[in-house]
Amino acid sequence: MADADAAAGNSHWIYSLMDSSRISTFCISILLIVYGSFRSLNMENEQKERDKEKEKEREKNPLDPSPLGNSNEQNVQTIDSTQAMFLPVGASVSLLIMFFFFDSMQTVFATCTALIATVAFAFLLLPMCQYLVRPCSDGTKMSFGCCGRFTSAEIISFALSFCLVCVWVMTGHWLLMDALGMGLCVAFIAFVRLPSLKVSTLLLTGLLIYDVFWVFFSSYIFNANVMVKVATRPADNPVGAMARRLHLGGIMKEAPKLSLPGKLVFPR
């Protein structure tokens, strides 16, 4: 009897380990890390090519006063030791703000998340759009005044991302939320750099302590699991909030509450 129970326990453990949801989550996580790393490396290679072209132009025109500065440093954020130590502290402060003031600021959180997710998912779609418009575009950038200069592929990727975020806001579908969360993960990996093993160790150690404390020990201080409550609390739909202000009851009833995709990255 004991042997049968042990065999059943082992089979249950193996079944839970080979659960399709866990395997798919693990595989998607690895793919996002690899893809984000390749995007980051590709950004560095493109910047090096642009710097070489500028250097050649400067050799041809030695009187040109334009500097050769590495503009890639303006596009990425390199975390130093101080930032690595204080990042978990800042994440804890933001977590507490969402815990105590979520009801009064949920529309602001949802709107900011939608804007950030639009830019991040546009970055995720950019290579596909570049591949599709390559036969009919020469990569010329169009000026949009104070907004900057953008290629046709960047404009198309932003438009597609904006449409996807609008569909997510109107439907609240979990698949769209996961897609936007993937865009946030890839953008974070591509634009944030850890320059050394020391900084990486400080950051990961701090995040481990942050995660363990807020998941397992916060209930002893705040009488509630802060991490779980923030991560599972849906936000009020900005469309519904606007409809209530304009007294449009029909639209307000159709606007679902939103699970913010940023919760896939932060706070967990």
Side-chain angles (χ1 to χ4, degrees), residues 88 92 95 204-221 224-228 267-268:
S92 299
L95 187 65
L204 294 179
T205 303
L207 291 178
L208 176 62
I209 297 173
Y210 155 85
D211 206 25
V212 170
F213 173 79
W214 290 112
V215 171
F216 298 105
F217 298 102
S218 61
S219 58
Y220 296 105
I221 301 175
N225 193 316
V226 176
M227 182 76 78
V228 173
R268 288 305 302 275

Side-chain angles (χ1 to χ4, degrees), residues 85-127:
M85 289 187 293
F86 281 97
L87 183 61
V89 178
S92 299
V93 173
S94 65
L95 187 65
L96 286 175
I97 291 174
M98 294 184 71
F99 178 73
F100 287 113
F101 305 105
F102 189 85
D103 292 335
S104 59
M105 300 182 64
Q106 55 182 327
T107 303
V108 177
F109 291 146
T111 304
C112 293
T113 301
L115 294 175
I116 296 173
T118 301
V119 178
F121 200 75
F123 176 76
L124 183 65
L125 294 176
L126 183 57

Side-chain angles (χ1 to χ4, degrees), residues 30-65:
I30 296 299
L31 289 175
L32 289 177
I33 293 173
V34 173
Y35 179 69
S37 301
F38 274 107
R39 290 294 302 274
S40 179
L41 182 61
N42 186 51
M43 290 170 57
E44 287 189 358
N45 293 334
E46 289 179 352
Q47 183 59 42
K48 288 179 181 179
E49 292 179 359
R50 286 194 292 266
D51 289 341
K52 289 181 180 179
E53 293 178 358
K54 290 181 180 179
E55 187 175 355
K56 291 180 180 179
E57 293 179 357
R58 190 178 181 84
E59 290 177 354
K60 294 179 181 179
N61 301 311
L63 299 179
D64 187 4

Side-chain angles (χ1 to χ4, degrees), residues 36-263:
S37 301
F38 274 107
R39 290 294 302 274
S40 179
L41 182 61
N42 186 51
M43 290 170 57
E44 287 189 358
N45 293 334
E46 289 179 352
Q47 183 59 42
K48 288 179 181 179
E49 292 179 359
R50 286 194 292 266
D51 289 341
K52 289 181 180 179
E53 293 178 358
K54 290 181 180 179
E55 187 175 355
K56 291 180 180 179
E57 293 179 357
R58 190 178 181 84
E59 290 177 354
K60 294 179 181 179
N61 301 311
L63 299 179
D64 187 4
S66 59
L68 290 175
N70 189 358
S71 60
N72 190 46
E73 295 179 354
Q74 302 174 359
N75 298 329
V76 300
Q77 175 65 43
T78 301
I79 297 180
D80 56 23
S81 299
T82 304
Q83 292 172 332
M85 289 187 293
F86 281 97
L87 183 61
V89 178
S92 299
V93 173
S94 65
L95 187 65
L96 286 175
I97 291 174
M98 294 184 71
F99 178 73
F100 287 113
F101 305 105
F102 189 85
D103 292 335
S104 59
M105 300 182 64
Q106 55 182 327
T107 303
V108 177
F109 291 146
T111 304
C112 293
T113 301
L115 294 175
I116 296 173
T118 301
V119 178
F121 200 75
F123 176 76
L124 183 65
L125 294 176
L126 183 57
M128 181 190 70
C129 295
Q130 288 175 335
Y131 177 79
L132 293 176
V133 303
R134 187 176 300 169
C136 55
S137 176
D138 57 355
T140 303
K141 291 188 175 184
M142 292 174 282
S143 177
F144 286 85
C146 61
C147 296
R149 298 171 59 86
F150 305 95
T151 63
S152 56
E154 292 172 342
I155 296 172
I156 294 174
S157 64
F158 182 82
L160 292 176
S161 178
F162 179 78
C163 293
L164 182 69
V165 171
C166 289
V167 174
W168 167 69
V169 170
M170 297 303 299
T171 63
H173 199 279
W174 63 269
L175 188 60
L176 297 177
M177 183 196 71
D178 289 350
L180 296 176
M182 292 178 188
L184 289 171
C185 292
V186 172
F188 185 84
I189 294 172
F191 287 99
V192 177
R193 307 290 169 82
L194 300 175
S196 65
L197 181 61
K198 174 185 175 182
V199 176
S200 303
T201 304
L202 285 173
L203 179 61
L204 294 179
T205 303
L207 291 178
L208 176 62
I209 297 173
Y210 155 85
D211 206 25
V212 170
F213 173 79
W214 290 112
V215 171
F216 298 105
F217 298 102
S218 61
S219 58
Y220 296 105
I221 301 175
F222 301 97
N223 295 323
N225 193 316
V226 176
M227 182 76 78
V228 173
K229 191 167 184 178
V230 170
T232 57
R233 188 183 300 179
D236 195 10
N237 197 307
V239 176
M242 185 62 66
R244 285 194 297 269
R245 291 186 178 182
L246 299 178
H247 304 288
L248 301 176
I251 298 179
M252 183 185 67
K253 293 180 181 178
E254 298 177 1
K257 287 187 173 292
L258 301 175
S259 295
L260 304 182
K263 294 178 181 178

